Amino acid sequence: MKRTKIVATLGPATDRPGVLEQMLRAGTDVVRLNFSHGTAADRERRVREVRQAAAALGRDVAVLGDLQGPKIRIERFAGGAIELADGAPFVLDAGLAADAGDQGAVGVTYRDLPRDVRPGDTLLLNDGAITLDVERVAGSRVECVVRVGGTLSGGKGINRQGGGLSAGALTDKDRGDIELAARLELDYLAVSFPRDAADMDEARGLLRAAGGEAPLVAKIERAEAVAHIEEIAGASEVVMVARGDLGVEIGFAEVPGVQKNIIRIARAHNRVVITATQMMESMIHEPIPTRAEVSDVANAVIDGTDAVMLSGETAVGRHPVKAVEAMASACRAAERQRVTSTSHHRMDEVFQRTDEAIAMAAMYTANHMDVRAIVALTESGNTALWMSRIRSGIPIYAFSRNEATRRRVALYRGVYPVPFDVLAQRGEAESEAVCRALLDRGLVASGDRILLTEGHAAGIAGGTNSLRILSAP
């Protein structure tokens, strides 16, 4: 089975009849709702359709909501797109009307832009396709010279090279969307453009106040976030390497090294990590990926990412199902490399929690014995999470009675959720039920060795305190 999980973004392309079900069959483990597009009604409908499709397939599929965040953009041009020539003057004017842009100037959505920039700064528009050098700041006007020109249309993003724009991570729209995320009981909530741990803490407070319990995903897409990655990882359950805006801010050449470092730090903090943006971008139009895209996915898998993400490839692309199939194939091929199944994670550390120590002991045992399956009887999913931090080729099955827990662990690398009521039987009857569940699903054969972790006090989160070695009857 594929160990690396696939996050697929929903959109118009996935609304076509039968497409969503085919994507789930092809290997989608988590679906993403991009709050930058569509309406609340669209999101409610898609959540309902995902959960219905997953139930029909007997699957536990997580839903990730992705807040828009303070995306800084230019306003619109009165006469449509313009052509900017190298060396031409161009003004970003925070005081200009939203639809009054012309060949010489355009408005901006971020009114504090003149306060945040100074002469000598470099501004990047349209994901870095256009480069402006700031010459002068006068009132609401940021006067620039075009270094790299091209076609520019309204609504394109603005980044300051090296970061430094002071816009907060949460907008008024985001605050409303957090309430919607709580009401829809989303399984994960992604915070766009956080600068530090305080931004994640604010989002968590708003989500909890709205009644939501979803774990938070910190999208690393600002230069400031890279500088504060340790504290952001500590304040989040999941870290996403969001390479689009990140590449614009720090320079595309820096992204591969930063990506590897973020994955390493996230795993060291026992955090889940998603690698995202333009992984198979050509498949928005083409039926097969490029070799470079396959290598990109494979390298993220080898580095230890939990999940890889498809954005426009599935949301608006011509071949959403083929994109999932191609990504799943690339993941499986990379997982055959030995480096993906060997680990020295936390080998020299002292564990403070019994359940974490049991999880680590189970993985060490599994990697040094002939074991077919690892089963964690879990309420919260924490034992399965800790297990998944250890590189191994042995599948980890999270047996849980909690549907929310099963959906959550669907994002963890190498972890597969299985419905199981831990309170229904104990002792030998429980062991027999675990073995029977694996045998009935064709996951083990008679005589196979199984590792089982559980708590003596059943049904209590954080109570895992024992490891048993079973043999399937």
Side-chain angles (χ1 to χ4, degrees), residues 118-120 133-138 141-144:
R118 56 189 56 83
D133 292 323
V134 178
E135 295 280 302
R136 181 170 176 266
V137 178
R141 294 165 56 86
V142 178
E143 299 175 3
C144 306

Side-chain angles (χ1 to χ4, degrees), residues 382-464:
N382 282 342
T383 302
L385 171 63
W386 287 320
M387 288 177 173
S388 69
R389 301 308 85 191
I390 300 293
R391 294 175 183 252
S392 174
I394 304 167
I396 301 163
Y397 298 101
F399 278 45
S400 182
R401 59 183 179 144
N402 296 328
E403 185 177 358
T405 294
R406 296 199 305 271
R407 291 201 300 257
R408 190 173 302 151
V409 305
L411 182 60
Y412 303 170
R413 179 168 174 151
V415 176
Y416 310 94
V418 177
F420 187 84
D421 187 355
V422 71
L423 300 180
Q425 57 270 308
R426 299 296 290 162
E428 287 306 311
E430 177 187 82
S431 301
E432 293 172 6
V434 166
C435 292
R436 179 51 53 194
L438 294 173
L439 287 164
D440 289 347
R441 289 169 169 79
L443 302 174
V444 300
S446 179
D448 283 344
R449 188 177 285 127
I450 302 163
L451 298 188
L452 172 66
T453 66
E454 61 184 331
H456 287 154
I460 298 176
T464 298

Side-chain angles (χ1 to χ4, degrees), residues 306-453:
D306 285 87
V308 285
M309 194 172 95
L310 294 164
S311 299
E313 300 95 330
T314 52
V316 297
R318 295 178 183 174
H319 313 284
V321 177
K322 288 183 178 179
V324 176
E325 291 173 342
M327 182 168 270
S329 179
C331 290
R332 291 190 185 95
E335 288 163 0
R336 289 196 288 270
Q337 301 299 310
R338 179 169 174 76
V339 68
T340 68
S341 58
T342 58
S343 177
H344 298 284
H345 179 70
R346 304 198 72 183
M347 289 291 288
D348 300 320
E349 296 189 28
V350 175
F351 305 114
Q352 302 300 319
R353 295 184 53 154
T354 301
D355 46 1
E356 184 179 8
I358 292 294
M360 296 298 99
M363 296 308 297
Y364 184 87
T365 303
N367 282 341
H368 291 79
M369 291 184 71
D370 181 15
V371 172
R372 181 67 175 175
I374 304 162
V375 175
L377 301 186
T378 181
E379 289 290 309
S380 66
N382 282 342
T383 302
L385 171 63
W386 287 320
M387 288 177 173
S388 69
R389 301 308 85 191
I390 300 293
R391 294 175 183 252
S392 174
I394 304 167
I396 301 163
Y397 298 101
F399 278 45
S400 182
R401 59 183 179 144
N402 296 328
E403 185 177 358
T405 294
R406 296 199 305 271
R407 291 201 300 257
R408 190 173 302 151
V409 305
L411 182 60
Y412 303 170
R413 179 168 174 151
V415 176
Y416 310 94
V418 177
F420 187 84
D421 187 355
V422 71
L423 300 180
Q425 57 270 308
R426 299 296 290 162
E428 287 306 311
E430 177 187 82
S431 301
E432 293 172 6
V434 166
C435 292
R436 179 51 53 194
L438 294 173
L439 287 164
D440 289 347
R441 289 169 169 79
L443 302 174
V444 300
S446 179
D448 283 344
R449 188 177 285 127
I450 302 163
L451 298 188
L452 172 66
T453 66

Side-chain angles (χ1 to χ4, degrees), residues 106-143:
V106 70
V108 294
T109 61
Y110 180 50
R111 302 306 177 193
D112 288 333
L113 182 66
R115 188 190 68 185
D116 284 357
V117 301
R118 56 189 56 83
D121 284 350
T122 298
L123 298 179
L124 302 153
L125 278 57
N126 191 17
D127 292 334
I130 291 175
T131 303
L132 306 179
D133 292 323
V134 178
E135 295 280 302
R136 181 170 176 266
V137 178
S140 66
R141 294 165 56 86
V142 178
E143 299 175 3

Side-chain angles (χ1 to χ4, degrees), residues 194-378:
R195 298 161 297 183
D196 50 32
D199 285 335
M200 301 306 299
D201 292 340
E202 181 185 3
R204 191 182 304 279
L206 291 169
L207 181 62
R208 298 296 180 263
E213 297 294 330
L216 294 187
V217 181
K219 294 175 65 180
I220 309 302
E221 46 196 338
R222 278 179 162 175
E224 296 94 326
V226 174
H228 295 100
I229 184 60
E230 295 272 0
E231 64 176 84
I232 290 176
S236 314
E237 284 80 17
V238 184
V239 173
M240 180 189 293
V241 190
R243 305 178 305 178
D245 283 279
L246 179 62
V248 176
E249 289 216 353
I250 68 173
F252 294 110
E254 300 298 324
V255 170
V258 169
Q259 172 180 311
K260 290 176 181 293
N261 192 48
I262 291 172
I263 293 174
R264 179 187 60 79
I265 290 172
R267 293 183 65 85
H269 282 79
N270 286 328
R271 298 303 189 255
V272 180
V273 59
I274 303 169
T275 305
T277 317
Q278 296 178 331
M279 301 214 78
M280 290 193 161
E281 185 86 351
S282 70
M283 291 196 74
I284 292 177
H285 304 290
E286 303 298 331
I288 60 173
T290 67
R291 289 167 180 80
E293 288 168 339
V294 172
S295 293
D296 183 30
V297 172
N299 277 315
V301 171
I302 290 169
D303 287 342
T305 193
D306 285 87
V308 285
M309 194 172 95
L310 294 164
S311 299
E313 300 95 330
T314 52
V316 297
R318 295 178 183 174
H319 313 284
V321 177
K322 288 183 178 179
V324 176
E325 291 173 342
M327 182 168 270
S329 179
C331 290
R332 291 190 185 95
E335 288 163 0
R336 289 196 288 270
Q337 301 299 310
R338 179 169 174 76
V339 68
T340 68
S341 58
T342 58
S343 177
H344 298 284
H345 179 70
R346 304 198 72 183
M347 289 291 288
D348 300 320
E349 296 189 28
V350 175
F351 305 114
Q352 302 300 319
R353 295 184 53 154
T354 301
D355 46 1
E356 184 179 8
I358 292 294
M360 296 298 99
M363 296 308 297
Y364 184 87
T365 303
N367 282 341
H368 291 79
M369 291 184 71
D370 181 15
V371 172
R372 181 67 175 175
I374 304 162
V375 175
L377 301 186
T378 181

Side-chain angles (χ1 to χ4, degrees), residues 58-176:
R59 295 273 309 281
D60 290 293
V61 176
V63 179
L64 184 156
D66 193 338
L67 299 176
Q68 177 175 308
K71 182 72 172 180
I72 299 169
R73 301 179 185 274
I74 62 170
E75 296 282 14
R76 299 182 300 279
F77 293 97
I82 65 169
E83 288 291 330
L84 289 179
D86 295 1
F90 191 68
V91 176
L92 302 175
D93 191 345
L96 197 64
D99 57 355
D102 58 23
Q103 190 66 39
V106 70
V108 294
T109 61
Y110 180 50
R111 302 306 177 193
D112 288 333
L113 182 66
R115 188 190 68 185
D116 284 357
V117 301
R118 56 189 56 83
D121 284 350
T122 298
L123 298 179
L124 302 153
L125 278 57
N126 191 17
D127 292 334
I130 291 175
T131 303
L132 306 179
D133 292 323
V134 178
E135 295 280 302
R136 181 170 176 266
V137 178
S140 66
R141 294 165 56 86
V142 178
E143 299 175 3
C144 306
V145 172
V146 178
R147 188 198 307 171
V148 179
T151 303
L152 182 63
S153 57
K156 298 303 182 183
I158 305 172
N159 295 84
R160 178 180 179 271
Q161 193 170 70
L165 298 181
S166 61
L170 299 174
T171 65
D172 289 341
K173 178 184 185 304
D174 294 329
R175 292 181 174 87

